[in-house]
Structures are given as C-alpha cells and as structure tokens.
Amino acid sequence: MTLTPCSTPPFQSVFPSPSPVPPTLRRSNPRPLPPPATRLRPRHRLRCCCSTAEMVKAIRVHELGGPEALQWEEVAVGEPGDGEIRVRNTAIGVNFIDVYFRKGVYPASLPFTPGMEAVGVVTAVGPGLTGRKVGDVVAYAGKPMGSYAEEQIIPANVAVPVPPSVDHKTAAAIMLKGMTVHMLVRRIFKVETGHIVLIHAAAGGVGSLLCQWANALGATVIGTVSNEEKASLAHLDGCHHVIMYTKEDVATRVKEITGGKGVNVVYDSVGKDTYKASLECLAPRGFLVSFGQSSGSPDPISMGDLASKSLFLTRPSMMHYTGTRDELLEAAGEVFANVANGVLHTRVRHTYPLSEAACAHADLEARKTSGSVLLIP
C-alpha cells in the first residue's frame, strides 16, 4: 500500500536532542539529568534504562496545540521490567482520542508520546514473565498511551495475541475501534433484530464498523455523512438509510424514515453539533450514547430534556469496559472472530510514515479521511 504523501515538510523539533548517555538511577555519585524537554518520566513506556538503553524515534508532545505540536525525536527505550514486554511496532492506529490528548481536552503530563493503539512484534520480555516470548505478534488498545513510537515497553497484560489470519495493518486498524464498537452494540445497548439505530459519522473509522456490526445483528441502520462519497461507503458497510447532514435536516429525515417513531439508540461521536438532533431523533425510552466529541463538547443537557421521553444518556469509555483481563480478551476475541467470519472489515485508506503524524492529524481533523488511518514506522 502506498503511503500518503505529506503536503508539508516534516516538522522539525525545536527541542534539544536527548543525551546519548542515559541518566543513572543510583543515588551515589549521580550524573546530571538531561534537559527537561528530553527527560522521560520514569513510568513512561519509552524510558531510559541504566545499561541497556537504545535510541529509537518517536512522536513527542511538549506543548499542547495543533498538529504542529507533534515532534519527531529520538528517545531512549530500555529493557522491560517485571510484568512488561518490549514491542517493535509495525502498524499504529490513529484515533480521535489522540487529537483530544494533543489539544488538552483529556489531561496528560507533558511531555508525552501520544497513541493508544498498535500492533507489533515482541522483542524482549521481562524477568520471569510467562505466556509471552520474543517473536510473538501482539496488539494493544487503550492505556498506556505511547504507541506513536518505533518501539515501546508495555505491561504484558494489556497485549493480546493477533491471530495468524489477521494481518498487522488490519489488526492495528480495528483493535481500538473494534473493541469500542463491541462496547457500544454488545455491552451498553445490546442491538437486536428489530431495533432502529442512528449512527453519526457513519463513514468514519468507528462508524463504518458500527454499521457493519449493527446490520449483522439485524438492526435497521441509519447513518449520517457529509458527502456523496461517504454516503456510498456507508451503504457498502450496511447502512440502510444514509442522511447527508449538509443537505438534509437529520431529525426531520429520521422521523420520515421511522414513521415518526424515532430510533432506539443514537451512537454519537460528534458531540456539540449533533447532540440536540440526537435527542430529538430518539423514541421514548431511547438511548443516547455519546462516545466522542469531534465537533467539541456538547452543551449541558438538562434532566428535563431526558424526562420528556424517559430517555437514557451515557458517556462511556472503552477502558471501563475492558478493565479486567477477561473483559479485554472477550472484547478482542469477538472482534477478531468477526473479522475472520467476514462480519467486520476495515478499509485502510490512509497510511502515513510515523514521522508525518502531524499530517495525519491535520487530515483527520479536517474530515479528509474515511475509514481507518495508520502510521507506519
């Protein structure tokens, strides 16, 4: 697959390069620490180890802001400790949550390496660790943050094995998004035959998988998109009715499609621009599942807005639904099983070199992308 070219020159870091000699951890005869801009926090996955640190390239954020805040730098990565593995990333997923952290919508201590999803090959295991070995192909999604790197250290219990039938790019494109969709259609509101669902941003990375899975479960799927190209993609993903919100009023069109009844559930990843229409589209006792805010945080919703139709509102995080090892394996297992049986497929339409993560973020925020976006180290 051809990498998407960057329209602007790669951003150059204005921060000094890290010291080639990692700081000692011994209290006696301490050496001076490197400059604060290049010092890695002790618990960060890309960390310096006393005697075996290696230098790898990673994206770092020193100041919150736009895509230009993503800096391409060298960092030190050491050996894994107890319960940890070191992974050489082969494909890295780009998600809107990465944008939220870069902008400061979600808090993170500076500096940090963004990224919540990757697939790679295990290159080292911590002392005494069983169940993982060098050469294993693993994927992870969620915490700890830090996947925008050539190599990183992660807790072994957040990694799941990737079946041989699933290639690295597919796994990286579907891991976080697929487990998010599992949470949405199997845990929060169990979609069944006869349900009518409304999916905003139906041609996006999560939206496309939502359409596929909800359709396979027997629901009538309504999706919103911005243009004709994305409308065609939503239809291919199993969307029965596509609404172009740039040309049609969403609430009015939903009432026409449902005969005035409304929908059982709205899956809303857009936020500020859509939440009022989302509430209006719901049937009595309907569910508004607000799981993103690509247009900004919604205004406060009063209890009266819910009481008028006995509505339910939730703002979930996937991390709370994969908090235990069993929950994680169950979610990832269902996702990979649905890839294998053809229920789920992902379109990797946009790939960028890891060094050009800023271009990927700019395109994602400008809604120039559809399907999944990957960074390739």
Side-chain angles (χ1 to χ4, degrees), residues 229-279:
E229 180 186 1
K230 292 186 177 183
S232 298
L233 294 174
H235 277 301
L236 290 174
D237 287 327
C239 199
H240 300 97
H241 306 276
V242 179
I243 301 171
M244 290 181 56
Y245 64 83
T246 52
K247 296 182 179 180
E248 303 172 279
D249 180 76
V250 173
T252 300
R253 188 74 183 96
V254 166
K255 290 177 182 177
E256 293 173 355
I257 294 169
T258 63
K261 296 179 180 179
V263 301
N264 300 105
V265 59
V266 178
Y267 294 114
D268 190 340
S269 63
V270 178
K272 186 176 182 65
D273 292 348
T274 53
Y275 83 99
K276 289 183 179 179
S278 295
L279 289 171

Side-chain angles (χ1 to χ4, degrees), residues 99-119:
V99 175
Y100 298 154
F101 276 109
R102 191 202 74 220
K103 288 182 170 181
V105 176
Y106 296 161
S109 299
L110 294 169
F112 66 87
T113 298
M116 307 288 284
E117 174 182 40
V119 171

Side-chain angles (χ1 to χ4, degrees), residues 134-157:
V134 173
D136 284 350
V137 178
V138 297
Y140 94 97
K143 294 181 179 179
M145 183 167 59
S147 65
Y148 284 21
E150 294 176 327
E151 200 163 355
Q152 65 182 133
I153 292 175
I154 61 174
N157 63 1

